[in-house]
Amino acid sequence: MSLSNYHKLLAKQASRLLPEELAGHPALLKFLALVSNTYQSFERDKKISEHAFSVSEKEYQEVTLHLQQQIQIRHQSILKLKKVIRSLDRNDQEPPDIEFPCKDPDEDLIGVISFLEEQIRKTKTLETELILAKEAAEKAARAKSDFLSVMSHEIRTPLNAITGLSHLLMEEEHYPHQTENMTALRLSADNLLHLINDILDFGKIEEGKIVFSEKDMDLRRLVTNIKMANRIHADERGNKIELILDNELPPFVRGDDMRLGQVLNNLISNAVKFTQNGQITVEVLLNKVNESTVTIDFSVTDTGIGIEKGKQELIFERFAQANSEITREFGGSGLGLSIVKRLLNLQNSDIYVDSEAGSGSRFFFSLNFKKTALCRQEHSLPLFGERADLKGLKILLVEDVEFNVLVAEKMLSKWNARVATASNGLKALGKLKEDNFDIVLMDLQMPVMDGYTATTHIREFDKTTPIIALTASTSMEIQQKAFDCGMTDYLSKPFNPNDLLNTILKYAR
Ligand code: ADP
C-alpha cells in the first residue's frame, strides 16, 4: 500500500520517520493500515459528534426560548386571572385587595386554584342560603295571602249585613233626626267595604293573579251606570256630573267591563270626594279605529281642590295621599289610584293627571279594545234606575247566614221580586224540582250541601236557569270552580244593592 492511502497525518509522519528499509515490511504495513483505519474512524466519529453537538445546542436554545415564553405567558395569565377574580368579587366600584394564599410566583397557580375552590364553596353555601330564604319568603307570601282570604271572608260576612241594612234603613221611613246617624253609618260601611275590596284587589295584583276577561260591552251604558251609581254621593256634596259621550263611539267593544268600571268608578268617586258644589265631567271619546282594535280616550275632570304639582306623582303610589286632613274627613286608603294605575299598566296603558292646587284636576287615559260585530241592543246592560223594579221575577235565594238572607230578601222584596229561600243546597234542589224560578242566587259555603254540589245536581235537570254565585271570597280559584260546576255569574259579598240589581237585571228574562 502506498503512503498516500493512509490517513493524512499518518502518511506525513511515516514519510518523515520510517526508515527506507522497513517500508516494505509486511507486518509493519499491516500495522500501519490498521492505525490508518483507526485514525479515519476517529476522524469520522469526531465529525459526527461535532455535528450532533451543534444540532442539540440549537435545539436546546430553541426549547429554552420556548420555555421562557411559556413562563411569561403563564405569569401573565396568572396576573390576568387574579385581576378577573378581583373584579368578580367586587361589590361596588372599589376592587378589594384579595389576599391569595401563596406569595411565591411558582406556586401562584396553586394559590389561585385553592382560592377559586374556596370561592366556589362559599358561592355554594350562599346559594343554599338563598334557596332557603326564597322558600321562606314564598311561605310567608302564601301565609299572607291565606290570611287575607280567610280574614276577608270573615269580615265580609258581617259587613254584608251592615252595608245592606244601612242602605235599607236609609230608604225606610225614619225620624228626621236619625238621618245624620244613618248617613254616617252607611258611609262608614261603604268606606269599610271599599277598603277591604281595595286591599284584596291590591293583593291579587301583587300576586299577578288578575286575569282580564273579554266580553262584548256597551260603553255608553257602562259609563252611564257608573255616573248614576255616584249620583247620590254627588248630590250630597252639591256636585253635578256631566257625561260627554262621543257620537262616533261604536255601540259595542270587546274588553273587561268590570275592570274598566272599577277604574272609572275610582276616578269619578275621587272627583266627587274632592269637590264640593262643583262640576265633574266624564268624557269618552273615540281616538282611532284600526283593522281589529278601537282606541278610546277617557277623562274625568273636576273643579275641586286640585293637587299640588309636587304631589302629582306620589298619589299613584300605594297608600299615598296628597292631603291627610282631607282624607281624615272623607276616608280612603290611598290604594285607589295605585290600583287604577296597575290595572291600566296591565292593559298596556297608563293614567295621567293634569291639576293645579285649588283649581281642579283632570285624570285621563286611553285604552284599546277589540272590535266586535255585535250591535243588538238586547245584549246591553240595563240602564241603572231604568228598571229598579223586578216585578214578577221569581228568585230563589240559597243562603245559610240569617243576616245575609234578611238583607237580600229585603232588597229583593223592595224591588218587587218574589223571593223564596233555602238554607242549604239540598233544600234548594227540592224547591227547584217543585217549582220554576227565573234566577237562583246561590251561596257557595253552606252546611248539608254546598253551592257547588247543588249546582252540579241542578244542571243535571235544568241547564238554563241563571245561577249566580254569592260568596264572600274573591279568590280566582273559587270563581273558576263556580263557573266549572255550571254557575252563570258571580257576585262577591258584601255587595252594594246596585251591583245585586244590575246582576239580576242582566239575566232577567
Ligand atoms: P284615596 O282616595 O283612598 O285616598 P287614591 O289612591 O284614590 O286614595 O287617591 C290618592 C290621593 O290622591 C288622595 O288621597 C288625594 O289626596 C289625591 N286625589 C285623588 N283624586 C283626586 C282629585 N280628583 N282631586 C284632588 N285630589 C285627588
Side-chain angles (χ1 to χ4, degrees), residues 84-307:
V84 170
I85 291 170
R86 284 194 178 100
S87 72
L88 272 181
D89 207 50
R90 184 190 317 184
N91 296 325
D92 43 38
Q93 303 310 321
E94 277 301 301
D97 230 5
I98 298 178
E99 275 298 316
F100 290 96
C102 297
K103 295 274 185 241
D104 180 352
D106 283 345
E107 288 183 26
D108 255 358
L109 202 54
I110 300 169
V112 168
I113 290 170
S114 32
F115 176 79
L116 279 177
E117 276 173 354
E118 178 63 12
Q119 290 298 308
I120 290 169
R121 195 188 56 74
K122 277 189 192 161
T123 311
K124 279 197 174 146
T125 317
L126 202 69
E127 212 173 275
T128 318
E129 281 168 9
L130 274 176
I131 291 171
L132 291 177
K134 182 175 157 264
E135 280 170 4
E138 281 171 355
K139 217 166 138 189
R142 257 196 313 277
K144 184 186 115 190
S145 141
D146 290 351
F147 173 77
L148 265 181
S149 79
V150 171
M151 280 314 284
S152 80
H153 187 275
E154 294 303 313
I155 296 171
R156 273 162 180 273
T157 306
L159 194 57
N160 189 32
I162 302 173
T163 46
L165 287 176
S166 58
H167 276 269
L168 285 173
L169 274 179
M170 285 290 288
E171 284 171 25
E172 281 173 5
E173 238 176 85
H174 54 265
Y175 294 113
H177 72 270
Q178 290 175 322
T179 307
E180 203 180 320
N181 288 350
M182 284 185 182
T183 311
L185 177 68
R186 202 202 70 209
L187 283 180
S188 307
D190 283 349
N191 281 344
L192 189 55
L193 172 60
H194 207 84
L195 178 68
I196 288 176
N197 285 340
D198 276 358
I199 291 177
L200 284 172
D201 249 350
F202 201 79
K204 273 199 270 176
I205 294 175
E206 297 263 280
E207 286 173 42
K209 279 191 180 168
I210 293 260
V211 178
F212 291 89
S213 70
E214 230 180 58
K215 281 193 227 159
D216 290 321
M217 61 165 144
D218 177 345
L219 271 178
R220 287 188 185 79
R221 295 239 160 184
L222 179 80
V223 182
T224 310
N225 279 347
I226 297 170
K227 172 192 160 178
M228 299 306 258
N230 281 282
R231 206 186 49 194
I232 301 173
H233 196 198
D235 284 349
E236 282 169 359
R237 299 193 45 73
N239 293 325
K240 281 210 159 17
I241 306 183
E242 191 197 354
L243 209 56
I244 300 176
L245 295 168
D246 196 334
N247 283 333
E248 301 294 310
L249 284 177
F252 288 90
V253 287
R254 276 184 83 70
D256 191 324
D257 57 343
M258 201 193 87
R259 294 297 173 190
L260 174 63
Q262 192 178 0
V263 168
L264 287 172
N265 200 36
N266 245 309
L267 298 180
I268 297 174
S269 65
N270 270 352
V272 171
K273 185 159 83 173
F274 296 108
T275 306
Q276 188 144 29
N277 301 325
Q279 163 96 18
I280 287 125
T281 311
V282 183
E283 253 186 312
V284 185
L285 302 177
L286 182 68
N287 175 318
K288 61 172 186 271
V289 182
N290 284 341
E291 212 174 299
S292 57
T293 58
V294 188
T295 309
I296 294 170
D297 295 340
F298 296 85
S299 73
V300 177
T301 312
D302 65 61
T303 56
I305 61 167
I307 305 153

Side-chain angles (χ1 to χ4, degrees), residues 270-271 273-274 302 305-307 315 320-323 327 332-337 361 363:
N270 270 352
K273 185 159 83 173
F274 296 108
D302 65 61
I305 61 167
I307 305 153
I315 55 170
Q321 294 170 323
N323 187 325
T327 311
S333 61
L335 275 177
L337 286 181
S361 316
F363 286 85

Side-chain angles (χ1 to χ4, degrees), residues 472-489:
S473 164
T474 55
S475 111
M476 277 211 323
E477 292 86 64
I478 290 189
Q479 281 182 35
Q480 195 51 53
K481 209 172 146 194
F483 287 125
D484 287 349
C485 68
M487 296 198 170
T488 324
D489 209 337

